[in-house]
Amino acid sequence: MNILGIETTCDETGAALVKDGRQILSNIVASSVNLHKKYGGVVPEVAAREQVRVIVPVLKEALAKVNLSATQIDAIACAYGPGLIGSLLIGVETAKTLALVWNKPLIPVNHLIGHVYANWLEGTTDYRLQTTAVDSRQSTVDFPAVALIVSGGHTDLILMKNHGKFQFLGGTRDDAAGEAFDKVARILGLPYPGGPEIEKLARNYNFKQNKFNLPLPMAWGDNFDFSFSGIKTAVFNLSKKFSLANEDKAEIAYKFQDAVCRVLVKKTQKAASKYKVLSIIVGGGVAANSELRRRMSNFRKNGELNVFFPEKELSIDNGVMIATCAYYLPKKVPPFFLKADPSLHF
Ligand code: KG4
Ligand code: ZN
């Protein structure tokens, strides 16, 4: 079954063809990130205009890469929320149009659940198997699973009992993890998006100086919630109090990343233990962070617990995860009934 996945929730325009939910036939992503750099974050109107400009070329390229005609595409899937309304509308209306013109089923996908399903693709890294050099492409997620979604707009912990059976356990009470990376990067004078920049700068920390302390936000307590605005403010206050040299910024980047990873890993592990799950799944842009990958993968219960991350490039927004999610959750809607929903939850 070949599904065309369309993803336009924010500043990426993604179109991909995926076979049987796991095999990537084509994957094209155009990003307007460079246009937003000078503003230090995504400007919704600019992102929406770029979506209009590139959606057709991106779709054409995704289709041209595979030798498939429209008759060989079985369904059209699109992310219909959450996201920026201007951006979402472009993907949703394009998907509706294609579904009508080609007479194909239309499958709407929750963008956040799409991030989770990036772990069902071929090439997904299973850290249990990685050490034994077994081809990770053979492995699949076992249920029940705990899914940690860490993106620019969301930080959520979900219990997943089976395909489509989600129970929300907790989420951020203020800033999302990716948002905190972006804002702290901005305070330190680094470009947008901040996550990869903080990761790079943190590698320069020499561990010799130990000038700054940052709080460990909401690490304890009987809940699965997160809060990242306090640590962001702590970095802001340091930047106002001291004139930060490069070594200082590296120390702060390291300690910020360390604190965020610790809390994410701790709460995910707590949920994994409480619900006796067989797999931990991580998705969303922050899942590209190497330190988070390393630390999360260190947690295995007698080797019985698998920890999954998507390939790094599939952690960031893309059409592949939308097509994969649609394969496993094929809930069709008549095209005229589908509406973009910027604040869609689970
Ligand atoms: O999922 P995504 O592509 O878009 C949203 O749905 O929001 O996530 C983007 C977020 C940004 O906040 C970006 O800074 C963060 O993912 N990110 C990272 C890394 N790569 C991207 N955060 C930490 N470390 C990274 N390597
Ligand atoms: Zn995303």
Side-chain angles (χ1 to χ4, degrees):
M1 182 179 198
N2 301 318
I3 299 184
L4 171 65
I6 299 174
E7 150 63 47
T8 66
T9 53
C10 189
D11 56 341
E12 266 93 27
T13 312
L17 276 152
V18 178
K19 186 177 177 186
D20 297 335
R22 280 175 66 83
Q23 192 189 342
I24 301 172
L25 303 178
S26 69
N27 175 26
I28 306 297
V29 180
S31 175
S32 60
V33 67
N34 286 332
L35 297 178
H36 306 290
K37 275 195 197 304
K38 66 178 167 202
Y39 305 107
V42 174
V43 183
E45 187 57 34
V46 174
R49 282 165 196 255
E50 274 303 289
Q51 296 284 4
V52 177
R53 201 176 68 78
V54 304
I55 184 77
V56 172
V58 165
L59 272 168
K60 277 189 172 164
E61 202 176 330
L63 293 168
K65 288 239 158 177
V66 285
N67 239 352
L68 292 182
S69 66
T71 51
Q72 291 163 294
I73 294 172
D74 299 291
I76 316 281
C78 71
Y80 73 111
L84 303 172
I85 183 65
S87 293
L88 278 169
L89 280 171
I90 311 306
V92 169
E93 294 307 314
T94 305
K96 285 161 72 171
T97 308
L98 286 177
L100 284 167
V101 171
W102 286 344
N103 196 20
K104 305 286 176 192
L106 177 64
I107 305 171
V109 169
N110 179 321
H111 172 78
L112 302 175
I113 305 294
H115 274 304
V116 172
Y117 273 89
N119 285 289
W120 266 263
L121 284 153
E122 281 189 351
T124 295
T125 307
D126 175 346
Y127 283 90
R128 175 194 57 164
L129 300 176
Q130 206 187 34
T131 46
T132 51
V134 178
D135 184 358
S136 62
R137 286 158 199 254
Q138 302 299 324
S139 62
T140 49
V141 176
D142 295 317
F143 294 118
V146 156
L148 172 69
I149 302 164
V150 267
S151 71
H154 292 84
T155 304
D156 294 309
L157 258 181
I158 312 289
L159 177 64
M160 199 175 165
K161 291 182 184 151
N162 209 325
H163 289 296
K165 298 251 173 293
F166 305 107
Q167 182 186 329
F168 179 76
L169 300 178
T172 186
R173 294 187 183 178
D174 39 57
D175 291 2
E179 183 183 358
F181 267 98
D182 294 335
K183 288 178 175 168
V184 164
R186 194 172 172 176
I187 294 167
L188 297 179
L190 300 168
Y192 175 83
E197 299 291 332
I198 295 272
E199 182 174 347
K200 229 187 295 165
L201 184 60
R203 285 197 208 110
N204 294 345
Y205 178 43
N206 59 21
F207 294 93
K208 286 191 194 121
Q209 79 166 36
N210 190 12
K211 278 201 204 159
F212 308 109
N213 284 316
L214 291 177
L216 198 55
M218 279 193 76
W220 292 273
D222 190 22
N223 61 65
F224 295 110
D225 287 343
F226 301 94
S227 164
F228 296 109
S229 70
I231 190 168
K232 171 195 69 185
T233 306
V235 173
F236 181 73
N237 290 341
L238 288 177
S239 77
K240 289 288 157 212
K241 196 164 167 196
F242 301 100
S243 159
L244 298 173
N246 285 345
E247 314 84 81
D248 298 335
K249 290 183 181 177
E251 181 183 344
I252 291 172
Y254 176 85
K255 289 187 172 170
F256 167 77
Q257 180 176 262
D258 174 67
V260 172
C261 288
R262 262 194 221 203
V263 173
L264 291 175
V265 171
K266 193 177 169 81
K267 294 247 162 140
T268 308
Q269 291 176 349
K270 198 170 95 173
S273 299
K274 178 168 177 182
Y275 294 99
K276 300 184 174 47
V277 302
L278 296 177
S279 311
I280 286 175
I281 316 167
V282 188
V286 182
N289 186 277
S290 305
E291 194 55 25
L292 181 62
R293 287 171 175 253
R294 191 181 66 75
R295 293 187 191 198
M296 197 70 88
S297 60
N298 280 342
F299 180 69
R300 288 183 217 93
K301 220 178 39 185
N302 309 322
E304 286 165 11
L305 183 71
N306 307 345
V307 179
F308 291 89
F309 280 85
E311 290 298 296
K312 282 195 182 181
E313 66 162 26
L314 295 177
S315 300
I316 316 288
D317 294 349
N318 62 82
V320 171
M321 65 189 199
I322 303 303
T324 295
C325 185
Y327 176 83
Y328 288 98
L329 306 176
K331 201 170 164 218
K332 302 169 186 102
V333 299
F336 284 117
F337 286 89
L338 182 61
K339 280 198 167 64
D341 184 351
S343 41
L344 182 68
H345 207 52
F346 291 101

